[in-house]
Amino acid sequence: MSYQKNQFFTLLTYILLLSLGTILSMMSITGSAYFLTITVGAIVATGIMIYLVKLSGPNSFEKKSNLNHDLQWIILGTVGAVVLQYVIGFADKLIFHASISSQNTIGLLLMVKEYPYYFLYVMIAAPIMEEIIFRRVFFANLIKPMNVYLAAIISACLFAFMHQDTRFLVYVAMGLWFSFIYYKSKNIYVSAGSHIIMNAFVLTMGIM
């Protein structure tokens, strides 16, 4: 399989998963059956996407790294993401009078409380898939025809748009930060690890 086909099938897998919710709604499937199906679908899609990443091999800037290197970048990525989220959120509220609460996060919290198994999708599957799509597929592939800065901005805006949240600037900042972590660590699973821990922290703080 060529690299281009690999990237296409990676993106197609993500699109199919996003379409699953619409299909279930059209079939009038709701409640536990809906969220269980979405969770299982997300786990399967994540497995397929990880397999496709392995199959494609490293891109132009990815390199093998040791565990110590990866852990250092994961810690930096997590701390930076949490701090940046609160700083940008506060600035957004101060300047644009936007709500400091994320409607997306509130909605996810309610669903996880109602269907606990859904956390597998929210805290693990979603961050991994988002990093593979928005960082490895969009950001990495846009660097050559454009440049690293423009590629990061475009991928970050797409990332923010997909979340359909009132805190658009916060999600753009998160997209830019995770692009930086991915580019500097040269490992997509480093940015994914940071994303997972950040999500877990934010959701945990929301539950408390």
Side-chain angles (χ1 to χ4, degrees), residues 85-98 100 169:
Q85 182 168 165
Y86 283 103
V87 169
I88 298 297
F90 178 76
D92 196 20
K93 180 182 180 182
L94 191 66
I95 299 170
F96 300 105
H97 306 290
I100 199 167
L169 290 179

Side-chain angles (χ1 to χ4, degrees), residues 1-19:
M1 182 186 295
S2 68
Y3 184 80
Q4 289 77 13
K5 284 185 178 180
N6 182 288
Q7 299 290 276
F8 170 76
F9 283 115
T10 301
L11 184 58
L12 179 62
T13 301
Y14 189 63
I15 292 172
L16 289 174
L17 177 66
L18 294 179
S19 302

Side-chain angles (χ1 to χ4, degrees), residues 169-190:
L169 290 179
V170 173
Y171 282 98
V172 170
M174 290 297 98
L176 291 171
W177 177 251
F178 286 129
S179 290
F180 168 77
I181 294 298
Y182 170 43
Y183 189 71
K184 289 296 183 179
S185 69
K186 307 183 185 306
N187 187 337
I188 191 60
Y189 296 115
V190 166

Side-chain angles (χ1 to χ4, degrees), residues 87-196:
V87 169
I88 298 297
F90 178 76
D92 196 20
K93 180 182 180 182
L94 191 66
I95 299 170
F96 300 105
H97 306 290
S99 172
I100 199 167
S101 299
S102 167
Q103 295 304 311
N104 180 61
T105 301
I106 292 172
L108 291 174
L109 280 171
L110 291 173
M111 287 182 278
V112 170
K113 285 181 179 179
E114 186 71 19
Y115 310 102
Y117 52 79
Y118 194 59
F119 90 93
L120 292 172
Y121 170 69
V122 175
M123 292 190 186
I124 300 174
I128 294 173
M129 290 188 292
E130 288 173 357
E131 289 308 305
I132 291 173
I133 293 297
F134 295 104
R135 257 57 78 182
R136 197 172 195 269
V137 173
F138 287 117
F139 169 65
N141 287 306
L142 287 172
I143 291 175
K144 280 190 177 180
M146 299 179 182
N147 60 62
V148 66
Y149 304 106
L150 192 54
I153 291 169
I154 292 173
S155 63
C157 288
L158 289 171
F159 173 71
F161 177 77
M162 283 300 298
H163 282 82
Q164 296 291 300
D165 195 278
T166 53
R167 300 198 308 164
F168 186 81
L169 290 179
V170 173
Y171 282 98
V172 170
M174 290 297 98
L176 291 171
W177 177 251
F178 286 129
S179 290
F180 168 77
I181 294 298
Y182 170 43
Y183 189 71
K184 289 296 183 179
S185 69
K186 307 183 185 306
N187 187 337
I188 191 60
Y189 296 115
V190 166
S191 60
S194 298
H195 198 155
I196 288 170

